[in-house]
Amino acid sequence: MELFKDDQNRELKLHGTYGFPVYVDKKMISSYPTGFFPWHWHDEIEFTQIVSGQMEYRVNDSRFLLQAGQGLFCNSGALHFGCMAGGDCEYISITFHPRLLAGFEGSAVGKQYVYPLVESPALASLLLEPEVPWQRDMLAGLAELYRMCREKPVLYELYVQKQLTEIWLGLYGNCAG
C-alpha cells in the first residue's frame, strides 16, 4: 500500500464518494512498504481503532502510543503520521467528510455542532480510551460502524450516518467549548 500526496502533503486518495463521503478499512501497518504511513492531511475526519499490536501515531505536535482497544480522533486538516511500535499493528481506519454530518452549506447543524469542533485549534486529536465511559461508547460505536460497513445491511448508508452522528454527539458533548 502506498499513500499518494501532493506537494502540500494533502492525501490524494478519495475517502468515499461525493454522494457518500465515508471510507472504512481494516489495515496492517506493515502493508506500507516502509512500515509507516507518511505525514499527510485531508479534509476528512479520521477515527483510528487499534485491533491488535500497537502503533506510534503523531498528530501535529502530539505523540500517542496506541494499543489494542484504544482509538484516536484525528480532526479534519490535521497533519498526521503512524508507524510500527515494537511489531505489526492491525487497525481500523474510518474517514468521513464533515459535510456528511453538517448537511448543506450554512446549516444550523453544521454551524452549531459540526464546524465548531472541526475548526477548533484545541482539538486536532483526542486519544480514546476504553476506561473512560463516554470514550468506551465511542469505541463501541466505531466497532459497530466497521461491522455495518463490512456487512452492508439494507439501509446501510442511513445506519452509517446515524452511527457517525451518535459518535459525534459523544465527542461534541464532552469536548465542545
Side-chain angles (χ1 to χ4, degrees), residues 3-5 8-15 23 27 37-48 57 74-81 93-98 118:
L3 191 144
F4 297 100
K5 52 190 183 160
Q8 319 276 275
N9 286 328
R10 182 184 197 144
E11 186 177 14
L12 299 175
K13 175 177 119 183
L14 290 175
H15 296 101
Y23 180 77
K27 303 175 184 179
F37 57 82
W39 287 101
H40 69 284
W41 65 275
H42 38 73
D43 292 328
E44 293 81 10
I45 293 160
E46 184 165 8
F47 284 100
T48 301
Y57 204 112
C74 181
N75 211 340
S76 171
L79 193 61
H80 54 286
F81 160 93
S93 173
I94 299 171
T95 54
F96 65 96
H97 200 284
V118 168

Side-chain angles (χ1 to χ4, degrees), residues 56-176:
E56 180 180 331
Y57 204 112
R58 296 182 187 193
V59 181
N60 295 341
D61 294 330
S62 297
R63 182 178 177 210
F64 304 93
L65 181 60
L66 301 177
Q67 304 197 28
Q70 294 180 319
L72 186 80
F73 163 77
C74 181
N75 211 340
S76 171
L79 193 61
H80 54 286
F81 160 93
C83 66
M84 285 189 204
D88 210 350
C89 176
E90 183 177 34
Y91 65 101
I92 296 168
S93 173
I94 299 171
T95 54
F96 65 96
H97 200 284
R99 73 175 172 260
L100 185 70
L101 300 178
F104 62 90
E105 188 176 334
S107 74
V109 170
K111 282 191 215 175
Q112 294 176 42
Y113 308 110
V114 177
Y115 292 111
L117 290 187
V118 168
E119 297 167 358
S120 171
L123 192 60
S125 59
L126 177 70
L127 177 63
L128 302 174
E129 301 186 84
E131 298 80 21
V132 179
W134 68 272
Q135 294 176 10
R136 181 177 50 246
D137 292 345
M138 287 180 66
L139 290 164
L142 292 169
E144 175 62 14
L145 197 142
Y146 174 71
R147 185 197 64 75
M148 281 189 282
C149 289
R150 283 187 44 233
E151 296 175 5
K152 291 195 173 35
V154 175
L155 306 175
Y156 153 74
E157 293 87 354
L158 285 173
Y159 283 123
V160 167
Q161 188 172 19
K162 176 183 178 273
Q163 192 68 35
L164 283 171
T165 300
E166 289 179 11
I167 291 166
W168 197 260
L169 281 167
L171 188 67
Y172 184 86
N174 290 280
C175 295

